[in-house]
Amino acid sequence: MRRLEHFITGAWTPATGTGTPLHDAYSGDIIAETGDTPPMAPVLDYARTTGGPALRAMTPHARALMLKAIGQKLMERKEELYTLSTSTGATRSDSWVDIDGGIGTLLTYASRARRELPNQNVMKDGAPEVLSKDGTFLGQHIRVPREGVAVMINAYNFPVWGMLEKLAPAWIAGMPVLVKPARQTSHLTELCVRMMLDTGLVPEGAVQLICGGAGDLLDHLTAQDMLSFTGSATVARQLRAHPTVIANSVPFNAEADSLNAAILGPDVTPDAPEFDQFVKEVHREMTVKAGQKCTAIRRVIVPAAVLDAVQKALVDRINLTKPDDMGRLVSAAQCADVRAAVDQLEAEANIVTGGAPRGTWHPPTLLRCDTPLTAKAPHEVEAFGPVATLMPYGTGAEAIQIANKGGGSLVASVFTDDPDVAREIGLGIARLNGRIHFGNRASAKSSTGHGSPLPVLIHGGPGRAGGGEELGGMRAVHHHMHRVAIQGTPDQITAVTGVWAPGAATRDDRHPFLKSLAELEVGDTIRTASRVVTLDDIEHFANFTGDTFYAHMDEDAAKRNPFFPGRVAHGYLIVSFAAGLFVEPSEGPVLANYGLDSLRFMAPVSPGDALSVILTAKEITPREGEPHGEVRWDCTVLRDGEAVVAQYDVLTLLAKEPREL
Ligand code: NAP
């Protein structure tokens, strides 16, 4: 009998104590056992003193590249995970959600982080706030990595995805992780951690694993740590109320069970494509992972007029489901829990189709509750298996009321081909859901479906769903960082953020476009000569581009416009002239202009006005492993050397080293 090991303080460590057996969900055979959990204070300390500094010695982009390389290695060996995953009761397609879904999330974070984050551990949050009239005192929000451990207590149903979707943003932010998977499926998490460590790419202390109970883990958490929990609402409540979590204000994120709804719009008749789509989606959500999904549809809310039709279509589909099409529940105990929950539901709903469970097999079970506005159980009892309750509604307002009785869910679906229904129901349930998925004929092929949390969209929900938030692209990275407001002079703000703030010192020794990244510094600037805009310029530009908007061409019409004194220059003419003024034409380190950000035209430019530009290197982001990097330039276009007529950021790619030409 193999005893699972903890990976703590840099070594695989056999658990001591009396073993708790893990059973194969199909055969019932004991496949491994977990043991006791050691004292956790040294384990947490090791993460804080070894893993954290090792991760933060790297830049965010370097950490993202490490994630990418680890993700690719996991992909190469994923069949080992698939093989073991069967023992958790998962079919191949169930395992795909967990394994490919988990590795895919890792890879998405690896690529988005490099595109969307600066390559330094201090990250600006928003633009500077000008706090004094003369501009000598600014405010700036920044984010810095927390110097603690991201502790993850996970549910049994996604042993791989559950770890990787939390680990990816934590590592990008520079936090080491301590993973405590649910014991029942911790053998699969253990294998995944072994595979990650086998790559030789994981910095020491960046990941630790406990295959056992939580022990005294929570007693040693501090305000710099984070506790993310996925599991039942009952355990979430216990952890949230833990004395150390309260006393030390430990950031706590919970993803708990929720009674997610799928609503069929009042516009959908049985012959509409949305009807079929709805039935398929409900069936899929009941059967994928044998219903052991936090996002699974538990409440099926349909217009009273089509209740019988939906019921018949669902039962027909369920009857076609063979036991082998669906996986098993993780354990006989889980199966018994589901059966007990069905019994509770039966107090206020009738079973339409179902049957007695056998071992870890639970038949897909559909209940029907005809009084959803007064009933309680269908909105409160989670049967964490292939179980859903069908319920009718009269008006759209009633559908909203029924859905909202769930008290907060991870996701709700609305199937409708009527945009007004999407708006009415979508907004009616928005405040009580983490995600709202609309389905209709137009997205039938492309939709990612009700049940898939995506790395780029937030996952979590209010109220009963735990009140937490994960994923959502770089938002999840930000959750692992501390936000602080700093106040000071532009030079002080620049020194702290590494990003030039308006009013900070500048250097104009030579044209900054002649400097490679090795030579360029934030604050390097050029103030250009000026150029007078003529009426001929405006007419030439209008005829050349085809932009003959009246404000540029017709004096009387322009004067009737509340914003213009008469004919004015095109905004894009101003931007083009600005480039003509600041550009250094010779071949040099500047490789490309790849865009503008935050372009605003702030005052009109009339014929006879003289334009000049101040261009200042604002932010320098060398790309990890590439011979170039990005430079963001602050670009201010002035009229007659004073009034600001346009303001924007110019985005360029620059060579890291002077080019040999
Ligand atoms: P669970 O019983 O709440 O356990 C979740 C985790 O908490 C496990 O790792 C468990 O460890 C640990 N735990 C239990 N008691 C603890 C305590 N007193 N102190 C510290 N840790 C403790 O949930 P589950 O049975 O694994 O998963 C099923 C539930 O999770 C369902 O209700 C489902 O809705 C929910 N879920 C939610 C999401 C989501 O994203 N919202 C995702 C998946 C699942 P042991 O295994 O060692 O007991």
Side-chain angles (χ1 to χ4, degrees):
M1 154 97 54
R2 198 170 91 72
R3 178 163 283 207
L4 300 185
E5 294 180 317
H6 310 300
F7 184 72
I8 48 175
T9 56
W12 285 103
T13 310
T16 54
T18 317
T20 307
L22 306 185
H23 297 267
D24 183 296
Y26 282 92
S27 65
D29 295 346
I30 296 176
I31 45 176
E33 62 176 19
T34 58
D36 289 348
T37 297
M40 293 306 289
V43 177
L44 291 164
D45 268 354
Y46 181 73
R48 295 183 192 115
T49 55
T50 304
L55 281 168
R56 293 189 296 276
M58 302 163 78
T59 65
H61 291 198
R63 295 193 289 266
L65 282 174
M66 170 183 74
L67 272 189
K68 181 179 175 187
I70 291 172
Q72 287 168 338
K73 298 265 183 208
L74 291 181
M75 271 295 176
E76 285 166 19
R77 292 180 58 187
K78 68 179 179 182
E79 283 309 319
E80 293 170 50
L81 293 170
Y82 272 94
T83 303
L84 195 60
S85 179
T86 310
S87 62
T88 68
T91 61
R92 175 118 194 146
S93 53
D94 292 344
S95 300
W96 182 86
V97 181
D98 190 32
I99 297 167
D100 275 271
I103 302 172
T105 301
L106 209 64
L107 294 173
T108 301
Y109 269 89
S111 100
R112 297 286 287 235
R114 280 177 298 139
R115 266 189 282 150
E116 295 176 27
L117 294 180
N119 199 11
Q120 55 170 18
N121 287 326
V122 180
M123 298 184 195
K124 266 178 69 194
D125 176 359
E129 300 285 344
V130 180
L131 301 176
S132 69
K133 277 197 178 141
D134 64 359
T136 58
F137 195 60
L138 303 179
Q140 173 72 61
H141 291 99
I142 59 169
R143 294 178 200 271
V144 292
R146 293 177 180 281
E147 298 198 5
V149 195
V151 174
M152 300 157 184
I153 298 184
N154 291 342
Y156 75 81
N157 56 341
F158 288 111
V160 177
W161 179 85
M163 168 175 66
L164 297 182
E165 61 102 4
K166 292 182 184 179
L167 175 145
W171 274 8
I172 301 259
M175 279 189 99
V177 303
L178 173 64
V179 187
K180 196 217 95 53
R183 264 172 284 196
Q184 294 186 83
T185 54
S186 50
H187 55 309
L188 190 49
T189 314
E190 190 212 38
L191 174 62
C192 189
V193 171
R194 281 187 193 278
M195 285 163 58
M196 287 168 58
L197 292 169
D198 284 350
T199 65
L201 297 169
V202 179
E204 199 171 318
V207 65
Q208 296 185 92
L209 172 76
I210 294 295
C211 290
D216 65 356
L217 174 58
L218 270 73
D219 299 341
H220 304 288
L221 296 182
T222 71
Q224 285 298 299
D225 302 322
M226 283 185 66
L227 177 58
S228 332
F229 169 76
T230 304
S232 59
T234 316
V235 176
R237 262 194 302 277
Q238 288 169 19
L239 302 193
R240 196 190 296 280
H242 189 280
T244 309
V245 172
I246 294 173
N248 291 350
S249 307
V250 178
F252 177 63
N253 191 72
E255 303 288 346
D257 51 292
S258 76
L259 289 144
N260 312 292
I263 303 172
L264 187 65
D267 54 306
V268 182
T269 50
D271 54 350
E274 287 73 21
F275 187 92
D276 259 4
Q277 271 176 262
F278 180 81
V279 168
K280 267 189 205 151
E281 192 69 351
V282 171
H283 175 260
R284 184 158 69 139
E285 287 297 313
M286 288 178 76
T287 51
V288 169
K289 283 222 62 120
Q292 300 163 100
K293 266 193 343 166
C294 52
T295 49
I297 295 168
R298 307 281 176 213
R299 297 178 300 144
V300 187
I301 303 170
V302 306
V306 295
L307 180 69
D308 290 335
V310 174
Q311 179 176 316
K312 177 173 182 323
L314 268 173
V315 171
D316 287 350
R317 219 163 230 286
I318 289 169
N319 286 343
L320 293 176
T321 312
K322 300 187 192 73
D324 283 348
D325 296 342
M326 212 173 88
R328 299 291 181 268
L329 296 194
V330 71
S331 63
Q334 181 64 27
C335 212
D337 280 358
V338 173
R339 182 61 230 181
V342 171
D343 288 344
Q344 278 180 276
L345 289 168
E346 264 196 283
E348 291 178 291
N350 298 316
I351 293 188
V352 173
T353 183
R358 291 187 306 277
T360 54
W361 157 253
H362 197 293
T365 302
L366 183 69
L367 296 104
R368 169 170 166 164
C369 169
D370 287 308
T371 53
L373 281 166
T374 49
K376 286 194 163 156
H379 308 295
E380 291 176 4
V381 176
E382 184 203 39
F384 200 60
V387 180
T389 305
L390 184 60
M391 33 192 122
Y393 71 84
T395 61
E398 237 174 67
I400 293 168
Q401 214 183 332
I402 296 168
N404 288 349
K405 279 177 73 94
S409 298
L410 292 169
V411 52
S413 273
V414 183
F415 283 76
T416 175
D417 200 35
D418 180 342
D420 290 337
V421 170
R423 181 181 158 79
E424 182 199 354
I425 299 186
L427 290 181
I429 61 174
R431 70 192 168 87
L432 279 164
N433 282 281
R435 176 164 61 87
I436 295 172
H437 161 258
F438 293 112
N440 78 347
R441 63 197 75 183
S443 64
K445 289 210 175 99
S446 55
S447 168
T448 51
H450 167 101
S452 311
L454 300 174
V456 293
L457 298 184
I458 57 165
H459 172 62
R464 177 179 178 130
E469 184 182 301
E470 290 170 1
L471 298 177
M474 292 307 111
R475 289 175 186 84
V477 175
H478 294 154
H479 293 157
H480 291 83
M481 304 186 81
H482 173 67
R483 180 164 48 204
V484 51
I486 54 169
Q487 292 175 280
T489 64
D491 283 332
Q492 288 168 327
I493 303 281
T494 300
V496 172
T497 61
V499 180
W500 183 82
T506 56
R507 179 175 74 156
D508 60 355
D509 50 347
R510 67 191 164 110
H511 197 298
F513 276 20
L514 294 171
K515 298 177 184 176
S516 67
L517 285 195
E519 302 155 299
L520 189 74
E521 289 177 16
V522 295
D524 278 351
T525 197
I526 175 174
R527 188 172 188 129
T528 71
S530 67
R531 166 177 188 155
V532 175
V533 180
T534 67
L535 198 56
D536 276 354
D537 289 332
I538 296 173
E539 288 190 344
H540 175 74
F541 190 80
N543 294 324
F544 179 52
T545 61
D547 179 354
T548 53
F549 186 62
Y550 71 86
H552 314 306
M553 306 305 286
D554 180 336
E555 183 70 14
D556 291 340
K559 278 195 169 130
R560 284 194 292 276
N561 180 302
F563 300 111
F564 302 129
R567 293 174 72 179
V568 290
H570 305 66
Y572 302 119
L573 174 59
I574 298 172
V575 170
S576 304
F577 276 177
L581 287 165
F582 68 62
V583 88
E584 159 54 52
S586 51
E587 189 179 0
V590 177
L591 304 173
N593 166 6
Y594 71 95
L596 304 177
D597 264 359
S598 318
L599 170 60
R600 288 289 178 281
F601 299 117
M602 298 156 94
V605 171
S606 305
D609 287 346
L611 298 182
S612 60
V613 181
I614 303 173
L615 187 80
T616 309
K618 189 174 188 174
E619 187 171 6
I620 301 174
T621 309
R623 273 204 196 164
E624 231 35 76
E626 305 274 359
H628 56 266
E630 283 131 32
V631 179
R632 177 180 288 269
W633 305 84
D634 183 90
C635 184
T636 305
V637 185
L638 301 170
R639 182 178 62 205
D640 299 330
E642 283 176 15
V644 177
V645 295
Q647 178 83 58
Y648 49 101
D649 286 356
V650 175
L651 311 174
T652 58
L653 292 178
L654 252 76
K656 281 185 176 167
E657 299 297 332
R659 293 171 69 207
E660 308 253 332
L661 298 168

